[in-house]
Amino acid sequence: GHEVNPVLNDNQIIDIARSHSVDAASVVINWATKRGVSVLPASTKKDRQKSNLEASYSFDLTEAEMKVLDSLDGTLVKHKSNAAKPELKKSGTISVMFKNEGTSAITTYWVEQETGDEVSVGDTGNGESSSLNTYHGHVFIHRHAETGDMVGVHSIEEKDGKRQEIVVSDNEL
């Protein structure tokens, strides 16, 4: 067993919940029902069950957030620094430039699809850009470099072209 619920205490779920001003349970319920999963509220209190359901449908998860949630496996995520860069995929390389139009530096993380681990791929100061080569389907999370708060999630789609510019700002989500 776990000392804490690994799903409701997952940093990525908590960050997504904060960006929508709801709790982690609401994010999980929203995601699960959009994936066709029946949800049985754990609470025995009618008022709590009602508030869980109402909050769960008060917002829309983005496609990128859905992909982040799809990649989770129920284990607690540990942030990795200076780990391996995104692995090669069989599809063609996509050149991506992340442009930081926010008010503070950001750290960009590649989300490893099998484990959900966030692998740091670098920092970008405010008003600066950083570039990398990646592949279709890769998901990147952007966090404030100092606080670790999530400011953006992006899924790379081949249909958006072989050269992509993605603007990241403090109020993105």
Side-chain angles (χ1 to χ4, degrees):
H2 296 280
E3 291 180 22
V4 296
N5 183 316
V7 175
L8 298 181
N9 289 285
D10 183 274
N11 289 335
Q12 294 173 98
I13 293 174
I14 291 168
D15 287 343
I16 292 169
R18 284 182 185 148
S19 74
H20 292 286
S21 300
V22 297
D23 62 15
S26 295
V27 170
V28 173
I29 292 169
N30 185 303
W31 167 82
T33 56
K34 286 186 177 168
R35 290 293 185 241
V37 177
S38 297
V39 178
L40 299 173
S43 178
T44 58
K45 297 180 181 182
K46 187 176 180 178
D47 289 343
R48 180 66 180 145
Q49 290 173 350
K50 183 179 177 187
S51 69
N52 275 346
L53 290 176
E54 287 174 353
S56 300
Y57 301 110
S58 67
F59 64 99
D60 290 315
L61 293 167
T62 66
E63 184 177 323
E65 290 169 332
M66 291 292 289
K67 286 185 179 191
V68 168
L69 295 167
D70 288 342
S71 74
L72 299 177
D73 66 357
T75 58
L76 294 174
V77 173
K78 297 176 185 153
H79 296 284
K80 293 183 178 181
S81 297
N82 303 319
K85 300 293 188 226
E87 64 190 36
L88 297 177
K89 298 289 182 192
K90 301 225 186 267
S91 66
T93 302
I94 299 171
S95 177
V96 177
M97 177 176 27
F98 295 112
K99 187 174 181 182
N100 181 2
E101 292 187 355
T103 58
S104 61
I106 60 167
T107 301
T108 299
Y109 296 89
W110 167 66
V111 179
E112 205 286 324
Q113 292 178 342
E114 290 182 20
T115 65
D117 286 348
E118 294 180 16
V119 180
S120 175
V121 294
D123 292 333
T124 308
N126 58 322
E128 297 179 356
S129 298
S130 61
S131 298
L132 58 84
N133 290 324
T134 190
Y135 299 89
H136 172 78
H138 280 179
V139 175
F140 293 88
I141 293 178
H142 311 284
R143 298 182 177 279
H144 281 281
E146 290 184 22
T147 66
D149 292 339
M150 184 169 65
V151 296
V153 178
H154 291 96
S155 178
I156 305 303
E157 301 293 332
E158 203 164 34
K159 67 179 176 59
D160 295 329
K162 293 291 184 184
R163 299 183 72 80
Q164 300 179 24
E165 181 177 300
I166 298 172
V167 175
V168 181
S169 67
D170 295 308
N171 297 318
E172 184 173 315
L173 293 176

